[in-house]
Amino acid sequence: MQKLEVFGATKLKGQIKISGSKNASLPILAATLLSKKKINLKNVPKVRDIETMLTLLRSLGSKVNSKKNQLIINNSKQKKNFASYNLVKTMRAGILVLGPLLAKYSSAKVSLPGGCAIGTRPIDIHLKALSKLGVKYKINQGYVIANAPKGLKGNKIHFKKISVGATENLIIAASLAKGTTLLTNCAIEPEIKDLVDFLNNMGCKIRWISKRTIKIIGVKEVKEITHSVMFDRIEAGTYLVAAAITQGNLIIQNIIPDIIKTEIKILKKLGSKIIIKKNEVQIIGNKKIKNIKIKTAPYPGFPTDLQAQIMVLLCKSTKNSIIQEDIFENRFMHVAELNRMGAKILTNGNKAIIKGNINFAPAELMATDLRASVSLILAALTANGKSIINRIYHLDRGYENIEKKLKKVGAKIKRVS
Ligand code: EPZ
């Protein structure tokens, strides 16, 4: 079992290149199943969740090769429509193959994703919406067994709750459905816009007709293309917080600053100096960190995937802060570990009250989920001494070369087995 040793306290200084987005790559990889041709993808991050998705695609018959920094997915011989439990259970985004498989074969058997550390992760919104396209399904022994005897037929669908995955599954499924589909109350995360750009480049007919409404005219087939995936805005936000909490000076490169304007606004409010350039942002952390009340929300609100990271920063504020987690029902798993480092965070339901003026003490720690694990690194960077973080396989799911990137800007961090 690998672990990370972090020696604090260090101020981070220098440049960090942001990798491609895990959460844009996953739906785009699933959407390659719509094609019978070759798809070239650039800027896909080398992280474990991507490896899992590629293994899932191979299990469905896709040929996956990588050349230099390009992924080549060839689905000319892809014909299976069964996604097994042992692949989907480790990565809930596996459910994103349901839409494309139904679009291509009008039938599919896909494992239910199952719960995880941050919540039960139901897929009722996905299934209810797919049934509006003519899909009949039953749940049997942990699998969704779905089929559309007459093929998928376009329809008007309103999402009762904003869901990133359900929006992605339906956009992909409706792309090959007969007729027109109107989706309302869609999630509008930048990763979904990247998916729509990818699909339209393949010849799909998808238009945003208002803020959360999308119109899809089904097409018969899609063509061979090359697509470069957008930057990972959560990785970018994580390193912005790293600069703020270590009172460092970082230049975060290969990004589109406008996409993370909410995060930039919050960090400026907390006291950091931020200089915005074309494809990069320079952040200079401030000794005095203000306090704030933050609620997580669907884009363009404050992202739930940065909640653990900003919580660590708020422990350093001069006064108490409050965080309200409005997306997932159990996303405070990092609190217990932070309190073991000396934080004084009280949780009550989906609210956390964060005491300020905390000096973290180094400790041996346990990562619980992807974003919680990186919040432990942020705290350890400010603690005087050696911290050890166990179960870092959670971290490897979504952060490409994190030790290398942090070492390059002055962090004393190493991976030990
Ligand atoms: C995506 O998960 C992201 N994952 C998550 O990032 C992110 O936290 C989340 O969106 C919210 O932004 C990927 O993109 C691979 P949702 P997803 O459907 O699609 C409930 C990370 O760290 N819900 O928007 O699963 C759900 O339980 C990961 O990279 C239903 O009730 O999120 C949650 O409470 C973690 N029924 C809320 O909606 C459904 O059918 C939002 O979920 C679907 C969701």
Side-chain angles (χ1 to χ4, degrees):
M1 192 80 95
Q2 293 193 327
K3 45 188 157 186
L4 278 180
E5 281 180 4
V6 182
F7 294 76
T10 37
K11 289 180 188 281
L12 302 181
K13 278 190 178 30
Q15 300 169 343
I16 292 187
K17 284 192 181 358
I18 297 301
S19 303
S21 163
K22 162 180 89 76
N23 289 352
S25 302
L26 290 169
I28 285 172
L29 284 166
T32 62
L33 287 165
L34 294 180
S35 164
K36 292 195 173 62
K37 306 213 178 75
K38 250 183 2 172
I39 308 280
N40 289 15
L41 294 176
K42 292 180 178 168
N43 204 31
V44 175
K46 293 181 182 58
V47 294
R48 220 150 56 78
D49 273 6
I50 298 299
E51 274 316 307
T52 306
M53 179 59 92
L54 296 178
T55 307
L56 175 52
L57 290 179
R58 287 191 186 98
S59 77
L60 294 168
S62 302
K63 290 272 168 287
V64 178
N65 291 301
S66 56
K67 197 170 69 185
K68 293 199 208 82
N69 252 347
Q70 272 205 40
L71 270 182
I72 298 119
I73 316 275
N74 187 332
N75 287 323
S76 53
K77 297 198 173 48
Q78 189 279 324
K79 49 179 164 304
K80 290 193 199 118
N81 64 351
F82 167 68
S84 75
Y85 171 67
N86 67 341
L87 285 166
V88 177
K89 75 172 186 269
T90 55
M91 187 205 46
R92 261 128 323 259
I95 195 65
L96 293 174
V97 302
L98 181 61
L101 290 174
L102 284 167
K104 202 169 174 184
Y105 301 108
S106 300
S107 80
K109 181 176 177 183
V110 176
S111 167
L112 282 170
C116 68
I118 61 177
T120 50
R121 312 301 290 273
I123 57 163
D124 55 311
I125 303 173
H126 299 238
L127 296 175
K128 190 161 172 299
L130 285 168
S131 57
K132 302 278 270 183
L133 295 182
V135 175
K136 306 255 175 293
Y137 68 86
K138 62 178 189 299
I139 310 286
N140 192 0
Q141 293 171 358
Y143 281 87
V144 180
I145 299 159
N147 56 64
K150 303 196 190 81
L152 298 188
K153 219 166 140 346
N155 202 346
K156 279 197 174 68
I157 299 169
H158 178 77
F159 293 111
K160 69 172 165 66
K161 179 177 177 186
I162 292 174
S163 159
V164 171
T167 303
E168 291 166 342
N169 238 334
L170 269 290
I171 289 172
I172 300 169
S175 293
L176 296 191
K178 281 190 242 25
T180 300
T181 297
L182 201 67
L183 301 178
T184 53
N185 200 30
C186 293
I188 55 172
E189 269 62 7
E191 294 77 20
I192 296 178
K193 308 257 167 159
D194 201 26
L195 170 66
V196 168
D197 292 347
F198 167 76
L199 289 166
N200 281 337
N201 289 345
M202 279 211 289
C204 295
K205 295 197 174 90
I206 306 172
R207 295 282 167 273
W208 292 94
I209 55 176
S210 72
K211 184 179 175 190
R212 290 189 183 278
T213 301
I214 199 162
K215 181 178 175 188
I216 302 155
I217 301 172
V219 294
K220 288 227 173 357
E221 60 174 13
V222 293
K223 56 187 193 290
E224 185 168 313
I225 63 156
T226 295
H227 179 84
S228 185
V229 169
M230 70 173 278
F231 75 99
D232 194 310
R233 64 189 168 99
I234 304 301
E235 184 194 18
T238 302
Y239 289 123
L240 284 171
V241 174
I245 198 165
T246 60
Q247 296 167 40
N249 181 339
L250 287 181
I251 298 180
I252 310 293
Q253 299 176 312
N254 296 356
I255 65 167
I256 301 171
D258 188 55
I259 284 183
I260 53 170
K261 59 176 181 281
T262 299
E263 295 85 330
I264 290 171
K265 196 179 84 199
I266 295 279
L267 285 163
K268 274 184 173 167
K269 241 185 181 168
L270 293 174
S272 290
K273 185 164 178 289
I274 294 185
I275 302 143
I276 295 175
K277 299 172 188 161
K278 190 164 176 304
N279 286 110
E280 61 185 41
V281 159
Q282 181 174 10
I283 176 166
I284 300 159
N286 191 21
K287 198 165 167 19
K288 195 165 164 303
I289 295 167
K290 297 200 183 85
N291 65 326
I292 194 168
K293 174 166 189 202
I294 285 184
K295 288 183 185 174
T296 62
Y299 194 87
F302 189 83
T304 173
D305 291 350
L306 277 179
Q307 179 256 103
Q309 298 90 317
I310 204 83
M311 185 183 279
V312 182
L313 180 59
L314 294 178
C315 292
K316 311 294 277 182
S317 303
T318 48
K319 290 198 215 109
N320 295 359
S321 298
I322 295 178
I323 289 182
Q324 187 169 308
E325 170 56 59
D326 282 338
I327 304 288
F328 286 106
E329 70 267 29
N330 180 31
R331 202 167 195 176
F332 287 145
M333 304 286 281
H334 41 287
V335 167
E337 292 304 285
L338 292 174
N339 285 344
R340 290 185 56 246
M341 296 179 81
K344 289 189 176 37
I345 304 164
L346 263 180
T347 60
N348 173 9
N350 69 338
K351 273 198 193 61
I353 298 154
I354 300 116
K355 206 166 160 6
N357 301 309
I358 296 292
N359 287 317
F360 288 112
E364 175 138 17
L365 303 156
M366 187 78 77
T368 51
D369 63 87
L370 169 58
R371 308 301 175 184
S373 37
V374 84
S375 73
L376 301 181
I377 295 178
L378 297 177
L381 285 170
T382 70
N384 285 311
K386 175 168 101 169
S387 296
I388 296 175
I389 300 164
N390 294 293
R391 295 194 184 172
I392 52 168
Y393 56 84
H394 289 291
L395 196 64
D396 295 335
R397 293 187 47 185
Y399 284 94
E400 188 178 50
N401 299 329
I402 186 162
E403 302 107 272
K404 213 163 112 207
K405 293 186 182 188
L406 283 173
K407 247 184 232 157
K408 189 169 158 283
V409 292
K412 296 185 190 66
I413 179 170
K414 69 178 178 176
R415 185 177 289 247
V416 292
S417 299

